Amino acid sequence: MNEDRKKRGLAHSKFLTVVAMSALFLSSGNVMATQVASDNVLEVTEQLQSINVTGLVVDATGEPIIGASVVEKGTTNGIVTDIDGKFTLSVKTGAILKISFVGYQPQEVKATPTMKIVLKEDTELLDEVVVVGYGVQKKANLTGAVTTVDLNKTMAGRPQQDVTKALQGAVPGLSITTNVGGIGVDSNIKLRGATGSLSATEGTSPLILVDNVEVPSLSLVNPDDIASISVLKDAASASIYGTRAAWGVVLITTKTGKKNDKPRVTYSNNFSWSTPTVMPQVAKTYEGAQAMLLAANRSGASTVSSIGYNVDEIAVQKMKEWYNTYGGMSQSELGEMQLGRDFEERGGKYYFYRQFDPLDMFMKDWTPQQKHNLSVSGGSDKTTYNISLGYLNQQGILKVNTDEYDRYNFNANVNTQIRDWWSVRANVMFSRSTKSEPYQYTSGYTDVWYYLLRWPSFYPYADYQGIPFRSAMTEIAQ
């Protein structure tokens, strides 16, 4: 019996040895197989991690949306729908698709092999109201050519003293030009063409309404009192306001208080300055005189005479000599005009040689301006109010007897709800502007600036024996 047990134990140990050796060989074979097939496993893994998505994008009525954007979130992998609203896109398993189109609310959905996405209309923009005529209208129901001005871009980002200047370039089709660049000057506003025959005085200027009350100029309105600006550009505005509105309407609504709002006092100010950007340079005495003489020689003349000054070859040479000798001296150092040095008389004619810079003598380097606004607003459950005061002061660029512009604004807006069907509103707008300017001996198109740059730089702007030569500077000093 013991021998049988020994034989069975030996056979059992041999069997275990064979199994162990087989397992060793099999494991080494698996390692080799894994190393050889590793690339194929990665390819299979990538294929298992991505899916092909076929989808359809439609609106609420079931109509296909052409050109909708379908993008895998977090990547640049995307496509647009075709003419039938369909798309095919390969994305990762579990990816999120972002579907969007203009005028519809964007959606984010989880990717599946077959999809149907229904986009809803974005009614937020369509529900925005626009001031039209004597009321408001939703953009969804708006059929006329109306432009709403974005006040945050045109006014809030920069200090504005004049509404007209703020509207320049803000409304398509609205042309604003200024013939004279002085302070307190009204600009020309054209909306529907350049010429018209309906009104000889107004031409094609649009009708300007502030809280449905006509005002003659936008410069009378305080920019800080404005809540919204709408521009009616088509002829349909004439059906509300008549022929006066045939050239368009600029509608301005002022700020009002809010219901159940505590009294709020707001004060703002702005101190700034203006400076010329680019100014013309007047030619030197001998350069300008030489150019005039060459032009006269072409017509057969040897001299040039105008308003008391004369130019010939001798004068040009003496201008060069004067400039080389005294050109570095200031006018205060030179003092009054001296006969023989700055000018002379030859043959009963006067010839001037002294160099002047009329722009430097005439203009400041910078001019100050200030603006102040004070407002009180608030309201209860039935009454709202907004009361504001404004003041603007601007000074001109002239050194002598400069011009000055002041504008005072008062605006009050009170609204009371007496019954559900009855509300009472009172609007008061007061604007007063004063402008002081030097004596204008001619029209606005040929003013002192015109004559200041018209005459050559040897034109005398100094005194002789205590009496000044007549010039643009002597005119404005009156």
Side-chain angles (χ1 to χ4, degrees):
M1 182 179 291
N2 291 333
E3 291 181 356
D4 291 339
R5 290 180 178 175
K6 290 180 180 179
K7 290 180 180 180
R8 285 197 300 270
L10 180 62
H12 183 65
S13 62
K14 290 181 179 180
F15 175 74
L16 292 176
T17 301
V18 172
V19 170
M21 293 178 64
S22 300
L24 179 63
F25 282 113
L26 287 174
S27 64
S28 63
N30 287 338
V31 171
M32 293 176 62
T34 301
Q35 292 175 347
V36 173
S38 60
D39 293 338
N40 294 332
V41 171
L42 291 175
E43 292 179 0
V44 173
T45 303
E46 290 181 355
Q47 292 178 358
L48 292 175
Q49 290 179 349
S50 63
I51 60 173
N52 289 326
V53 179
T54 301
L56 174 65
V57 181
V58 297
D59 59 11
T61 62
E63 292 294 327
I65 299 178
I66 305 171
S69 174
V70 182
V71 180
E72 182 181 358
K73 186 176 181 179
T75 68
T76 57
N77 181 28
I79 197 171
V80 295
T81 57
D82 58 16
I83 194 172
D84 297 321
K86 299 179 180 180
F87 69 93
T88 301
L89 185 65
S90 178
V91 298
K92 294 181 180 180
T93 303
I96 302 298
L97 298 182
K98 295 178 62 177
I99 301 93
S100 60
F101 190 70
V102 177
Y104 293 85
Q105 296 179 356
Q107 290 192 24
E108 294 185 3
V109 293
K110 186 176 181 180
T112 59
T114 304
M115 304 181 66
K116 181 178 181 181
I117 300 99
V118 180
L119 294 183
K120 298 180 180 179
E121 290 186 355
D122 190 353
T123 58
E124 181 178 352
L125 292 176
L126 296 177
D127 288 339
E128 183 180 345
V129 295
V130 179
V131 178
V132 181
Y134 291 112
V136 296
Q137 201 173 29
K138 290 185 178 181
K139 278 190 175 180
N141 303 327
L142 191 61
T143 57
V146 180
T147 298
T148 302
V149 180
D150 189 348
L151 299 182
N152 291 328
K153 294 181 180 180
T154 57
M155 294 185 184
R158 48 182 178 170
Q160 293 292 341
Q161 286 75 29
D162 191 349
V163 181
T164 310
K165 304 298 189 299
L167 291 178
Q168 282 184 314
V171 179
L174 183 64
S175 173
I176 299 176
T177 57
T178 305
N179 294 328
V180 182
I183 59 176
V185 177
D186 290 336
S187 301
N188 297 323
I189 305 176
K190 304 295 182 183
L191 188 57
R192 303 189 64 239
T195 59
S197 59
L198 292 180
S199 176
T201 57
E202 297 296 336
T204 55
S205 298
L207 178 64
I208 302 173
L209 298 175
V210 178
D211 291 332
N212 290 322
V213 177
E214 183 178 1
V215 295
S217 173
L218 282 175
S219 61
L220 300 176
V221 183
N222 185 4
D224 280 35
D225 292 337
I226 296 177
S228 67
I229 301 177
S230 297
V231 180
L232 312 183
K233 297 190 287 185
D234 59 3
S237 56
S239 63
I240 303 175
Y241 302 106
T243 57
R244 180 62 185 86
W247 307 111
V249 182
V250 178
L251 294 173
I252 298 177
T253 58
T254 57
K255 295 178 180 178
T256 60
K258 296 181 180 179
K259 288 186 175 182
N260 300 319
D261 192 12
K262 295 181 180 180
R264 182 177 303 175
V265 179
T266 304
Y267 170 75
S268 64
N269 61 58
N270 176 261
F271 296 91
S272 58
W273 67 91
S274 300
T275 183
T277 53
V278 179
M279 294 299 297
Q281 296 294 324
V282 182
K284 298 176 182 178
T285 52
Y286 58 89
E287 293 176 345
Q290 186 67 51
M292 289 189 293
L293 196 59
L294 290 174
N297 293 339
R298 295 182 62 181
S299 61
S302 59
T303 61
V304 177
S305 299
S306 177
I307 62 168
Y309 67 81
N310 299 272
V311 177
D312 57 9
E313 290 291 348
I314 299 176
V316 173
Q317 184 61 34
K318 290 193 174 183
M319 288 179 188
K320 291 182 181 179
E321 295 175 359
W322 188 99
Y323 189 84
N324 293 331
T325 305
Y326 307 104
M329 299 178 64
S330 63
Q331 296 298 327
S332 59
E333 293 173 335
L334 292 170
E336 287 191 348
M337 296 280 289
Q338 295 184 13
L339 183 64
R341 183 195 69 176
D342 302 326
F343 72 104
E344 67 178 356
E345 180 185 2
R346 288 189 284 111
K349 297 181 179 180
Y350 286 96
Y351 297 85
F352 297 91
Y353 312 132
R354 183 170 169 175
Q355 171 85 28
F356 291 93
D357 186 356
L359 293 179
D360 181 66
M361 300 172 64
F362 196 71
M363 297 176 56
K364 302 175 184 176
D365 294 331
W366 60 275
T367 61
Q369 57 184 4
Q370 57 179 318
K371 182 182 178 183
H372 303 269
N373 291 284
L374 176 65
S375 65
V376 180
S377 63
S380 61
D381 57 343
K382 292 185 177 181
T383 302
T384 61
Y385 60 90
N386 184 83
I387 302 172
S388 63
L389 294 170
Y391 171 69
L392 170 66
N393 173 262
Q394 294 177 301
Q395 296 184 17
I397 199 73
L398 306 179
K399 285 184 177 179
V400 180
N401 197 14
T402 187
D403 46 347
E404 189 171 2
Y405 177 74
D406 293 284
R407 187 187 67 201
Y408 305 87
N409 292 99
F410 171 76
N411 190 72
N413 193 322
V414 181
N415 193 349
T416 300
Q417 190 76 31
I418 300 177
R419 294 287 187 269
D420 295 339
W421 50 271
W422 185 13
S423 64
V424 177
R425 185 180 67 176
N427 285 3
V428 177
M429 189 187 80
F430 172 81
S431 180
R432 180 176 182 266
S433 60
T434 60
K435 182 179 179 182
S436 61
E437 56 185 1
Y439 170 72
Q440 298 284 351
Y441 57 90
T442 182
S443 64
Y445 294 98
T446 54
D447 56 1
V448 292
W449 300 99
Y450 173 81
Y451 288 102
L452 191 70
L453 298 173
R454 179 181 181 182
W455 311 129
S457 57
F458 55 81
Y459 189 90
Y461 288 94
D463 296 350
Y464 177 63
Q465 296 180 354
I467 302 175
F469 287 90
R470 183 181 179 184
S471 64
M473 294 189 64
T474 62
E475 297 294 331
I476 65 170
Q478 298 183 38

